[in-house]
Amino acid sequence: MILGVGTDLANIERIAGTLERFGDRFRTRVFTDTEIAKAEARADTPGTYAKRWAAKEACSKALGTGLRMGISWKDMAVTNLPTGQPVMALTGWAAERLKAMTPPGHEAVVHVTLTDDHPWAQAFVVIEARALP
């Protein structure tokens, strides 16, 4: 069963400007060390940050809260499987919210997909509840 769906569209040039203006202050407030390392290793650093920004926004929408009620940017982190597939890890209040919205006898699975076509980066997040065996 679907528990939540979220999407977000981010302007890569806006994120690039924010990176230029605020630098590490912005990076360390919004992104985990792993996300920063991934973005800084990529040729399209602003695009990588923009996709992860969009994923965090989309995830907060799928959780039904937006970025309020105690959710921190870093409570939602995008990493990649060895295949390159993005995955979303939730910690802190975001993980607590996910647990609260998951019905008994189910496990929550957070699906995320990212795309970009300059100057836009987009993310979709679907939260699924799967019945436990």
Side-chain angles (χ1 to χ4, degrees):
M1 106 185 50
I2 302 299
L3 298 178
V5 177
T7 185
D8 193 66
L9 185 66
N11 185 287
I12 295 169
E13 292 172 4
R14 181 177 145 247
I15 297 296
T18 301
L19 288 164
E20 286 178 26
R21 184 171 178 200
F22 297 105
D24 284 340
R25 187 169 142 212
F26 171 67
R27 280 182 199 88
T28 58
R29 178 174 173 253
V30 175
F31 302 100
T32 65
D33 292 341
T34 301
E35 289 173 312
I36 293 169
K38 182 74 157 185
E40 295 298 323
R42 293 263 174 103
D44 182 14
T45 299
T48 302
Y49 280 119
K51 285 186 280 191
R52 279 151 176 76
W53 171 278
K56 291 168 186 275
E57 288 275 6
C59 185
S60 71
K61 293 171 186 174
L63 289 168
T65 62
L67 285 161
R68 58 186 177 88
M69 299 175 64
I71 291 181
S72 163
W73 288 104
K74 290 184 177 184
D75 285 348
M76 302 166 288
V78 179
T79 59
N80 295 86
L81 297 177
T83 60
Q85 176 185 349
V87 292
M88 180 74 69
L90 303 182
T91 58
W93 200 92
E96 290 175 25
R97 170 70 180 149
L98 181 64
K99 183 178 178 182
M101 63 191 286
T102 304
H106 291 75
E107 66 176 342
V109 180
V110 181
H111 304 276
V112 61
T113 186
L114 309 172
T115 191
D116 65 294
D117 188 6
H118 197 86
W120 300 106
Q122 187 174 31
F124 285 94
V125 171
V126 175
I127 301 175
E128 171 191 14
R130 288 186 190 159
L132 294 170

